[in-house]
Amino acid sequence: MSEELATGDAFLAESLRYVKGVGPKRADVLEGAGISTVRDLLQYYPRRYLDRSTVTRIADISDATGSVSIVAEVLVAGSAPGRGRQKRFEMVVSDGSGRIKCVWFRGAAWIGKLFKKGDRVALHGKPQLFRGSWNLTHPDFDRLDEGGPSLDTGRIMALYPGSAPFERIGLNSRSFRKIIWGLFKEHGLRLRDPFPESIRSRFNLMDGRVALRAVHFPKSQEELHAARRRLIFEELFFIQLMLARLRSVRIQRKGLVFGPRGGLSARFERDVLPFMLTGDQSAAIRDIVADTQSGQPMNRLLQGDVGSGKTVVAVAAMLHAADHGYQSVFMAPTEILAEQHYRNLISFMEPLGLQVRLLVGAQRKANRREILAELANGQVAVAVGTHALIEDPVQLAKLGLVVVDEQHRFGVMQRAKLLKKGDAVHTLLMTATPIPRSLAMTVYGDLDVTVIREKPAGRKPVKTLLRSEKGRTEVYEQVRRELAAGRQCYVVYPLVEESEKLDLKDAESGFAQLREIYSEFRVDVVHGRMSGAEKDQIMERFKAREIDVLVSTTVIEVGVDVANASVMLIEHAERFGLSQLHQLRGRVGRGSDQAFCILMADYKRSHEGQERLEAMVRTEDGFEISEIDLKMRGAGDFFGTRQSGLPDLRIADVTRDQAILTEARAAASELIASDVALQAPEHLALGLYYQRFYREGRGALARIG
Ligand code: ADP
Ligand code: MG
């Protein structure tokens, strides 16, 4: 019996193609956005709701106003002058009580096509005062077509997330409401609730069928609230169920048991290490050593801000493995980083008589074959590399430890593959992205976490300066002074995926200009289109001080360590994400000299852009930065999407919904306490839902545990 039959929900798996109001063309576009089946569409939850109580009158906007929704009519719309990418789209709208101007600097071309005089529109954003009048910069918007329900009827109107492809084929909130309403009419509410009555009443959950209807077509704010709570609970519950399960499997698994720390470890700290470990570094090593003696496989996440010295901790862990005759694998997200680690590891490990090898994609075949043989016969203690390390032919004689650097940069599947290399093997994941507790509970619920907060002694805080075009000459002079004093400088340009060509032009014309300005210094460029070998060569020359100014796109973002670099100059800083800016800043301030991070930013920036820049100037604390970032972007975007391993949440927001998360967690661990419970007849539907959830890979990260 198929699962769908068992739950009586067969139509949920049907393609949207035959659904009324969809058709083949729309079905294709929807599928491109990940909405393929009836179920996907029903779970395409509204992003916002409008009713009289949630709409602000333009006349009521004041300094105290935060984000607002307004409903208004377009009075004037048009492109404002400007060159190429500078072109912007503006429109003035009125709601009868007053007027407000809306401005878009990016995407002006497609947004401009959407609006004309007389259109009714809902706009959402935080008004800013500009030259004495209120503006909305890059507001979210929903077009409210003629014939749509009027707010005056007292209805609550669901608004769905839109996109350029949707708009192009006329899919807007109104179409979604119509199509989904049709589904409810045709199929009635023959949905089966996965939660048995016992769980529903205990956690005060609305009936699942009612909740799904109410989230799209709420009859009142109270009903909407209860519906959302129920659906959020459900989503978080299944993730927690999976994490609880993985944890229970993991603690039953047997891990390799290493003995106490041995001679290599002692000699490393005594003879090789050029500095004293910080207290936090020592504590992290103690955690790792304890894990490797516990009898269970280590599954530890090492969190530490950029520059906190995670690499040395990893080295200590690998030496500990070597002390007990085990090999280690050290995986980095880029070739540049793998090369850098390789050189570091050689300097730390060869004096101790250990062999280190580098394995990256760009190597010659013969070379690679030789290295593979050396790994397989066990003579090599540590293999450093990129994802080339997890390709199938790589076999190690006695693998004991896997270290993944900058783990958030790896695809979930890549990590999973690596971990398959040995069941009892210990894993150490490292990340410079501090994760707020709330999120850690969801994403890393089955990992142990160690945090390094302390930075190595003698570091001066980086001075962060915000400058505009007007200050450019002065900025160049400041850079010149640093260069004249023998220091090096990074100049970074943003990389925007849609227009790789343009960006390259930015970096390249910047490069040409800087070469003239700093003609007495050596200026070079590195960018994403170069081959791995080319990039490595340039990075190597920068490290060897053969290059003074390194112009780049963001390829230098993670991990690169050049202590003599004292200036990080970021062009178009308003276009970078907050954690990216923080990562970039972390590239300087690694020596004992005063370092500078200079943010060059256009005045035409969105409200969020401004907040990001201000946060950068205000604080250098990675945890604070990540809290702000999380708050600004919401958990869904926090790490980027699927790449991050963050479960793909459709309605829950782990920062906002912490209370529900705690309840869902309690419910899940109670249920998992005995596996039998899931097979009980009253839990049949729940078990089937769980299986589907798991199959869909929505908890892919957890699956690697
Ligand atoms: P991250 O945590 O960002 O990966 P790294 O491991 O690259 O940081 O370390 C940053 C720099 O700090 C390196 O140059 C490293 O040699 C140095 N470092 C690490 N630990 C210490 C310490 N205890 N004292 C002094 N310098 C240290
Ligand atoms: Mg690092």
Side-chain angles (χ1 to χ4, degrees):
M1 183 169 59
S2 90
E3 162 202 341
E4 304 292 0
L5 280 176
T7 55
D9 303 343
F11 71 96
L12 288 177
E14 275 168 23
S15 148
L16 287 175
R17 190 164 301 258
Y18 307 107
V19 167
K20 203 163 150 242
V22 182
K25 201 165 143 207
R26 283 185 164 184
D28 280 351
V29 173
L30 285 167
E31 185 155 358
I35 308 168
S36 323
T37 64
V38 171
R39 182 194 295 112
D40 295 335
L41 185 61
L42 289 174
Q43 289 183 342
Y44 192 65
Y45 298 120
R47 147 183 81 155
R48 191 177 273 121
Y49 299 87
L50 276 186
D51 77 350
R52 264 177 305 189
S53 70
T54 56
V55 170
T56 303
R57 276 164 22 108
I58 295 174
D60 293 338
I61 291 172
S62 74
D63 286 337
T65 313
S67 286
V68 293
S69 294
I70 59 174
V71 172
E73 193 181 305
V74 177
L75 296 181
V76 207
S79 287
R83 287 170 288 117
R85 244 193 317 177
Q86 298 296 317
K87 202 167 170 141
R88 62 180 192 267
F89 173 71
E90 297 187 350
M91 67 184 190
V92 178
V93 301
S94 158
D95 67 354
S97 81
R99 296 170 174 207
I100 193 165
K101 185 153 110 183
C102 305
V103 188
W104 283 267
F105 297 112
R106 276 171 284 113
W110 81 268
I111 290 167
K113 285 196 197 109
L114 297 179
F115 300 105
K116 60 179 193 311
K117 184 171 168 358
D119 284 350
R120 240 164 50 89
V121 57
L123 296 151
H124 322 274
K126 188 169 184 284
Q128 289 166 285
L129 207 50
F130 184 74
R131 296 204 177 122
S133 53
W134 291 107
N135 268 16
L136 280 170
T137 312
H138 287 237
D140 269 355
F141 56 85
D142 291 281
R143 296 182 326 119
L144 306 174
D145 301 54
E146 282 307 306
S150 152
L151 288 181
D152 301 333
T153 61
R155 287 210 16 212
I156 301 173
M157 201 192 303
L159 300 176
Y160 294 82
S163 70
F166 286 1
E167 289 290 350
R168 272 199 288 276
I169 55 163
L171 259 179
N172 52 28
S173 285
R174 183 160 172 248
S175 347
F176 278 112
R177 284 194 300 267
K178 267 173 94 171
I179 297 165
I180 295 170
W181 184 247
L183 279 174
F184 277 107
K185 264 203 355 217
E186 189 179 335
H187 296 283
L189 295 172
R190 287 191 289 112
L191 299 160
R192 182 154 166 187
D193 196 324
F195 291 119
E197 177 53 32
S198 58
I199 293 185
R200 278 212 304 273
S201 61
R202 169 117 178 267
F203 292 96
N204 192 20
L205 300 176
M206 178 187 250
D207 177 89
R209 290 162 270 209
V210 179
L212 203 51
R213 191 269 304 148
V215 82
H216 294 288
F217 303 99
K219 289 179 177 147
S220 67
Q221 288 290 351
E222 294 70 41
E223 192 196 51
L224 175 59
H225 181 80
R228 286 182 49 85
R229 182 175 170 281
R230 146 79 207 216
L231 295 170
I232 290 166
F233 181 98
E234 185 173 319
E235 187 162 64
L236 295 173
F237 173 85
F238 285 112
I239 294 168
Q240 293 303 322
L241 191 61
M242 184 162 46
L243 289 171
R245 249 204 141 136
L246 282 166
R247 211 184 161 82
S248 79
V249 169
R250 178 164 72 86
I251 57 181
Q252 286 161 27
R253 233 165 60 188
K254 288 230 179 318
L256 301 171
V257 178
F258 299 171
R261 298 190 77 192
L264 289 169
S265 301
R267 276 166 57 208
F268 172 64
E269 286 188 29
R270 197 185 57 223
D271 304 334
V272 180
L273 200 61
F275 42 70
M276 292 279 292
L277 293 173
T278 64
D280 280 356
Q281 284 171 325
S282 300
I285 296 169
R286 277 197 299 277
D287 285 348
I288 292 165
V289 171
D291 287 348
T292 60
Q293 294 175 350
S294 71
Q296 289 158 8
M298 168 166 78
N299 209 12
R300 186 168 291 279
L301 178 74
L302 182 62
Q303 265 182 260
D305 207 352
V306 282
S308 61
K310 294 181 291 294
T311 315
V312 180
V313 174
V315 171
M318 294 188 284
L319 289 172
H320 178 52
D323 257 327
H324 298 281
Y326 285 100
Q327 294 169 292
S328 302
V329 153
F330 192 164
M331 192 159 94
T334 63
E335 295 200 356
I336 288 181
L337 210 50
E339 284 261 7
Q340 174 181 296
H341 282 319
Y342 175 60
R343 274 189 296 270
N344 258 325
L345 294 186
I346 285 183
S347 75
F348 286 139
M349 295 185 154
E350 283 197 341
L352 299 169
L354 297 175
Q355 295 194 37
V356 184
R357 292 290 181 276
L358 177 71
L359 209 59
V360 290
Q363 275 158 333
R364 279 205 315 273
K365 277 224 176 77
N367 194 0
R368 186 180 164 84
R369 253 203 312 277
E370 193 181 327
I371 295 173
L372 289 176
E374 290 167 337
L375 294 176
N377 71 23
Q379 76 181 82
V380 169
V382 175
V384 193
T386 54
H387 56 270
L389 275 176
I390 55 177
E391 277 158 27
D392 291 330
V394 182
Q395 296 293 338
L396 289 99
K398 221 179 159 193
L399 179 62
L401 170 69
V402 170
V403 181
V404 182
D405 193 21
E406 310 287 352
Q407 67 85 28
H408 58 281
R409 301 279 299 227
F410 281 95
V412 171
M413 296 324 288
Q414 288 175 325
R415 268 178 290 155
K417 242 175 156 177
L418 185 57
L419 295 178
K420 280 221 182 85
K421 292 215 164 278
D423 206 26
V425 164
H426 300 294
T427 19
L428 178 66
L429 307 170
M430 306 204 290
T431 180
T433 309
I435 298 153
R437 247 195 72 74
S438 53
L439 203 53
M441 211 155 109
T442 312
V443 186
Y444 297 122
D446 69 323
L447 302 182
D448 298 314
V449 179
T450 295
V451 179
I452 301 187
R453 284 187 174 272
E454 198 180 348
K455 290 215 172 164
R459 297 263 174 89
K460 290 201 188 84
V462 177
K463 273 199 184 127
T464 303
L465 312 167
L466 180 55
R467 295 286 180 266
S468 69
E469 213 44 55
K470 271 199 310 229
R472 185 171 290 280
T473 324
E474 209 175 300
V475 166
Y476 281 164
E477 277 316 301
Q478 186 176 2
V479 170
R480 184 183 302 282
R481 281 194 296 276
E482 291 293 311
L483 295 173
R487 261 144 350 239
Q488 292 159 280
C489 171
Y490 296 101
V491 180
V492 176
Y493 286 85
L495 187 86
V496 182
E497 272 155 41
E498 309 100 69
S499 62
E500 220 179 299
K501 267 194 200 134
L502 262 180
D503 293 307
L504 198 53
K505 210 176 108 216
D506 257 5
E508 279 185 341
S509 66
F511 168 51
Q513 222 176 345
L514 288 165
R515 207 147 53 161
E516 266 175 46
I517 293 168
Y518 298 118
S519 55
E520 72 272 41
F521 297 103
R522 293 154 302 182
V523 183
D524 219 325
V525 65
V526 60
H527 56 75
R529 284 211 187 158
M530 292 175 161
S531 73
E534 282 175 299
K535 282 190 256 182
D536 288 344
Q537 201 212 352
I538 291 190
M539 290 313 296
E540 213 156 315
R541 284 174 44 222
F542 188 63
K543 279 194 138 185
R545 296 201 192 186
E546 289 166 19
I547 295 172
D548 301 300
V549 179
L550 183 63
V551 179
S552 87
T553 52
T554 48
V555 287
I556 57 155
E557 179 192 339
V558 285
V560 171
D561 186 36
V562 179
N564 188 52
S566 64
V567 183
M568 169 61 67
L569 173 59
I570 305 176
E571 295 284 351
H572 301 293
E574 77 280 0
R575 289 204 225 145
F576 288 85
L578 191 51
S579 59
Q580 227 180 352
L581 289 172
H582 181 65
Q583 274 280 341
L584 285 169
R585 176 169 58 186
R587 298 304 115 221
V588 296
R590 299 182 152 235
S592 49
D593 299 317
Q594 176 64 58
F596 300 90
C597 174
I598 307 175
L599 307 170
M600 292 297 290
D602 240 309
Y603 270 116
K604 293 175 207 146
R605 51 202 176 221
S606 65
H607 176 67
E608 284 82 29
Q610 179 67 24
E611 270 184 43
R612 286 196 294 268
L613 297 172
E614 283 171 8
M616 281 292 290
V617 173
R618 192 168 63 238
T619 179
E620 212 195 330
D621 177 340
F623 277 87
E624 201 181 328
I625 296 257
S626 86
E627 291 278 1
I628 299 170
D629 200 22
L630 179 60
K631 218 173 271 156
M632 285 179 65
R633 286 200 283 164
D637 281 346
F638 186 64
F639 292 106
T641 45
R642 290 180 172 274
Q643 271 293 311
S644 65
L646 185 72
D648 168 19
L649 297 173
R650 294 187 181 146
I651 189 165
D653 172 335
V654 287
T655 32
R656 183 195 60 203
D657 301 325
Q658 284 191 47
I660 307 177
L661 175 62
T662 310
E663 282 185 298
R665 194 174 164 83
S669 23
E670 245 170 68
L671 201 66
I672 214 74
S674 89
D675 236 11
V676 183
L678 263 183
Q679 281 141 33
E682 64 155 339
H683 290 146
L684 179 64
L686 198 149
L688 291 168
Y689 264 70
Y690 173 68
Q691 280 168 26
R692 189 191 73 223
F693 185 86
Y694 191 82
R695 256 203 327 271
E696 279 176 357
R698 291 187 59 194
L701 171 107
R703 198 185 296 171
I704 68 172

